[in-house]
Amino acid sequence: LNDNQFGQGNYYTSAPGLQNNYTVVPDSPYYDPDLEYGRSLLDSPHKIVMAPTFNLPFGEAQSGWVDALVSGWSFTPVITFSSGFPMGVSQNQTTTSFLLGNSLRPNIVPGQDFLVGGDITERITNNTSDNLYFNRAAFSATPTNRFGDAPRTLPGVYSPWRNNVHFAISKTPNTGKGTSLSVRIEVLNMLNLVQWASPASSAFGNSSFGQITNQAN
């Protein structure tokens, strides 16, 4: 999903901001909305949902209370694997003299990975202070009245995966005279998997830039 629109931030990623207000200046590389066209903040390229239902054979050919208690049960796991959303960064703006613009973006430092290595869930589980998602060394501050070279969305950068497992057990015994009783037990997020919310700040220069501090589920 590609676009050049802004403001679609969600629980998992925040909009990086509009760099130039779409003020069109002919032949300018900075005031051209077509150059902002790219991966949408709402793009989630991979998603698999599996929801098989298993009918348990226990109690078949039984009668009486055995059949009522044991037979006719089914269970359904709902397993979801879903990749995150594209992410972008902005920059703390300390001056109002930025020409014709709105939000600054930082510069990219060549040779640096955009993200801190290691699984973010494992790192936070082991140490809640080890919660940096963005690698701060990958960015440098843009001088006053200059444009940063960071794109609207960072190439190859996505928010953490959004995985989940729900589980349901159900039984619908006949209660006679054309009636039935439905018994259903549902467990949401059975494995207690965390879906991380967007960083506390996507603005380079902010003290909480790139920190994961909240979950979205």
Side-chain angles (χ1 to χ4, degrees):
L1 178 62
N2 289 343
D3 61 31
N4 62 354
Q5 300 184 42
F6 292 81
Q8 317 100 314
N10 52 49
Y11 287 121
Y12 309 96
T13 184
S14 53
L18 181 60
Q19 182 164 254
N20 55 38
N21 272 341
Y22 281 178
T23 302
V24 178
V25 178
D27 301 320
S28 169
Y30 302 113
Y31 297 96
D32 183 356
D34 291 337
L35 295 180
E36 297 285 72
Y37 185 82
R39 187 60 59 86
S40 170
L41 288 172
L42 299 181
D43 179 73
S44 185
H46 306 291
K47 185 171 185 177
I48 299 175
V49 179
M50 296 174 288
T53 296
F54 300 91
N55 297 315
L56 302 183
F58 308 134
E60 290 183 354
Q62 300 293 328
S63 60
W65 65 269
V66 175
D67 178 74
L69 292 178
V70 178
S71 67
W73 287 97
S74 64
F75 68 90
T76 303
V78 181
I79 305 168
T80 301
F81 301 101
S82 183
S83 59
F85 294 95
M87 307 183 78
V89 296
S90 59
Q91 177 179 311
N92 270 1
Q93 189 167 337
T94 58
T95 176
T96 58
S97 60
F98 188 68
L99 299 179
L100 300 178
N102 188 0
S103 298
L104 284 171
R105 294 183 195 151
N107 286 315
I108 301 299
V109 177
Q112 292 283 342
D113 292 331
F114 293 122
L115 302 180
V116 175
D119 182 82
I120 185 65
T121 300
E122 292 181 0
R123 291 197 285 111
I124 291 179
T125 300
N126 295 328
N127 179 6
T128 54
S129 298
D130 188 10
N131 64 347
L132 272 180
Y133 196 65
F134 287 131
N135 174 20
R136 293 175 176 174
F139 309 97
S140 64
T142 299
T144 303
N145 292 333
R146 299 287 183 90
F147 286 102
D149 59 13
R152 183 170 68 99
T153 54
L154 299 173
V157 174
Y158 289 86
S159 58
W161 278 67
R162 297 168 292 125
N163 303 329
N164 212 334
V165 177
H166 301 318
F167 189 77
I169 303 174
S170 61
K171 176 179 173 64
T172 308
N174 293 322
T175 52
K177 297 182 180 180
T179 64
S180 63
L181 174 69
S182 178
V183 179
R184 185 175 180 88
I185 301 172
E186 296 184 354
V187 181
L188 304 182
N189 195 11
M190 184 178 69
L191 302 182
N192 198 29
L193 299 176
V194 176
Q195 296 179 8
W196 296 110
S198 59
S201 173
S202 61
F204 182 71
N206 190 296
S207 60
S208 58
F209 171 72
Q211 293 183 8
I212 300 290
T213 58
N214 291 292
Q215 67 181 81
N217 66 326

